[in-house]
Amino acid sequence: MTSLPYYQVIENVTQYKMRGKVAYLGNFSATSALQITYVKPYDHPSGKGYQRPVDNKRCNDFASYLSKGENALFTPILLNAESKWEFSPYDKARVAYGRLICKGQASLMDGQHRLGGIKRYTQDTNSEINVPFLAFHFLDEDEEIELFDTINTKAKGIGTSLSKYLHRYSDENSWVATELITRGDSPFHFIGTLTGKRVSGRHVTLQNLYKVLELLTKPNEISSLSKEEKLTLSLIYFNSIKEHFNTEWLNYKEYRLTHIVCLNALAIAGAEIFSFALIRQQGKFDYNLIQKCVKRLKGMQWGAEGPLKYLKGISGSRILASDILAVALHHT
């Protein structure tokens, strides 16, 4: 967010209250909309960002939609003015109708693809259009994130991965899954995606890892651990797997090791291995035993065209987990 070089004024605005929050309804030019709004990306250094990366195709599609002319109607964008906008009524007889004096940029909570499409359209056509908006006078950062999450998960669907990311400070598995993707020493760092959008080389979503962690920490003795302990166990286990199957881990096309059915199978088996490696008297884990169990899997085949090709869903994962355990715990 940046301060404006000069105050901007939006005329003909209606002020009202929504569930106790002061809000404004109005419209401004596309030029103004682009100047006095900003986006908080999900990876913002403050840790309070939440927006997905912009999908250029969606912006271009909306620009094409706008080219239909007067029939191209669209809903208001949603903003948090962060107390940077001041309302001034025109007169005492109409205290809810007046102008907004904008002293800083407002956070764009909903509508970044519409605004991206509007930018493209106005540049291509060298024209100007009015953009409707609904702006809250002030929401704190947590309220803003919660509203964004609610709107998108219950209305348009931001996807479960980004929703898990937004809840990483209140949900332990969300935190561990996020760490497994963002930490440089994690085997998922280069194959995982936080937002749920799969791109080349990044095919394991945050939601996928969340499910893996549910299976991996299902036993009571594991689920009761702290999130830091769960992270340590996950890193030791999956780093060991990557170490012994590095080629298979990095080649999604030719091997199924990091396909979801296999990751879930490894998680189901891992839960049993963790329970076996727990030193009951001390309440600690024998990390060497965990790595030893993984090493025994060295002879397993993970080819995409082998028997694994026919394993589907959680039932397939359970079948594979049984095979993994038969090898990992052999003679233990």
Side-chain angles (χ1 to χ4, degrees):
M1 189 271 293
T2 59
S3 59
L4 298 173
Y6 55 88
Y7 293 170
Q8 293 202 25
V9 177
I10 306 172
E11 301 286 358
N12 304 315
V13 174
T14 300
Q15 181 190 58
Y16 73 109
K17 282 193 174 184
M18 179 188 293
R19 310 290 288 186
K21 299 287 187 183
V22 175
Y24 311 115
L25 278 173
N27 65 83
F28 43 21
S29 68
T31 299
S32 292
L34 294 167
Q35 290 176 343
I36 61 178
T37 63
Y38 77 105
V39 169
K40 296 176 180 176
Y42 75 92
D43 56 354
H44 192 275
S46 69
K48 294 293 186 178
Y50 55 87
Q51 290 281 8
R52 295 158 287 185
V54 171
D55 185 332
N56 289 326
K57 182 180 183 302
R58 289 183 61 187
C59 294
N60 292 337
D61 288 346
F62 192 73
S64 297
Y65 169 73
L66 291 174
S67 67
K68 295 180 180 179
E70 293 183 355
N71 292 327
L73 304 177
F74 57 97
T75 55
I77 62 175
L78 184 63
L79 306 169
N80 176 16
E82 301 178 339
S83 297
K84 300 294 192 304
W85 293 6
E86 295 181 3
F87 180 77
S88 177
Y90 287 132
D91 54 58
K92 294 181 179 180
R94 299 181 298 170
V95 294
Y97 189 61
R99 61 172 59 92
L100 280 172
I101 302 171
C102 306
K103 300 179 179 181
Q105 291 179 308
S107 172
L108 178 62
M109 291 191 288
D110 185 58
Q112 67 168 333
H113 290 105
R114 272 166 285 161
L115 207 51
I118 288 168
K119 179 181 180 180
R120 173 69 184 271
Y121 172 78
T122 55
Q123 289 176 339
D124 289 350
T125 61
N126 194 28
S127 62
E128 189 69 271
I129 63 174
N130 285 332
V131 180
F133 69 84
L134 187 162
F136 287 97
H137 178 72
F138 175 80
L139 297 175
D140 66 33
E141 290 176 318
D142 292 331
E143 289 176 321
E144 187 175 333
I145 290 173
E146 183 178 0
L147 180 55
F148 170 83
D149 186 37
T150 299
I151 290 171
N152 286 283
T153 54
K154 290 181 170 57
K156 294 188 300 184
I158 58 173
T160 49
S161 287
L162 186 52
S163 180
K164 296 299 184 189
Y165 176 76
L166 297 179
H167 287 95
R168 65 194 183 281
Y169 296 123
S170 59
D171 179 89
E172 288 195 351
N173 279 350
S174 292
W175 181 85
V176 177
T178 298
E179 290 291 303
L180 286 174
I181 289 180
T182 57
R183 286 176 60 124
D185 60 346
S186 168
F188 295 100
H189 182 63
F190 292 108
I191 66 172
T193 169
L194 289 175
T195 62
K197 183 179 181 181
R198 292 182 174 91
V199 294
S200 179
R202 293 187 177 276
H203 52 273
V204 180
T205 70
L206 192 64
Q207 172 62 14
N208 295 151
L209 277 181
Y210 190 91
K211 179 62 177 179
V212 165
L213 288 167
E214 284 186 326
L215 297 171
L216 190 63
T217 63
K218 188 174 182 179
N220 291 334
E221 60 268 29
I222 314 299
S223 62
S224 60
L225 297 174
S226 69
K227 61 183 182 181
E228 290 81 9
E229 290 172 314
K230 292 176 183 177
L231 175 61
T232 297
L233 279 172
S234 301
L235 286 171
I236 288 172
Y237 181 57
F238 283 108
N239 269 324
S240 183
I241 291 170
K242 180 179 181 295
E243 177 185 347
H244 292 292
F245 299 101
N246 188 62
T247 299
E248 294 88 337
W249 187 270
L250 297 176
N251 192 333
Y252 179 80
K253 185 176 180 179
E254 296 183 21
Y255 298 96
R256 294 184 61 85
L257 181 61
T258 59
H259 288 220
I260 304 309
V261 67
C262 293
L263 287 178
N264 285 344
L266 289 167
I268 294 170
E272 295 293 327
I273 292 171
F274 290 171
S275 295
F276 190 81
L278 178 64
I279 304 172
R280 307 289 172 174
Q281 297 86 350
Q282 301 177 24
K284 297 180 179 180
F285 291 89
D286 185 342
Y287 296 142
N288 289 329
L289 179 57
I290 293 173
Q291 293 171 323
K292 185 177 180 180
C293 288
V294 172
K295 187 176 182 180
R296 290 181 182 144
L297 303 178
K298 187 66 177 176
M300 292 193 69
Q301 301 299 310
W302 302 95
E305 296 304 319
L308 298 181
K309 180 180 180 180
Y310 304 100
L311 294 180
K312 306 293 182 181
I314 195 65
S315 59
S317 296
R318 291 195 176 100
I319 292 171
L320 179 56
S322 296
D323 294 341
I324 292 171
L325 287 170
V327 176
L329 299 181
H330 185 63
H331 294 318
T332 300

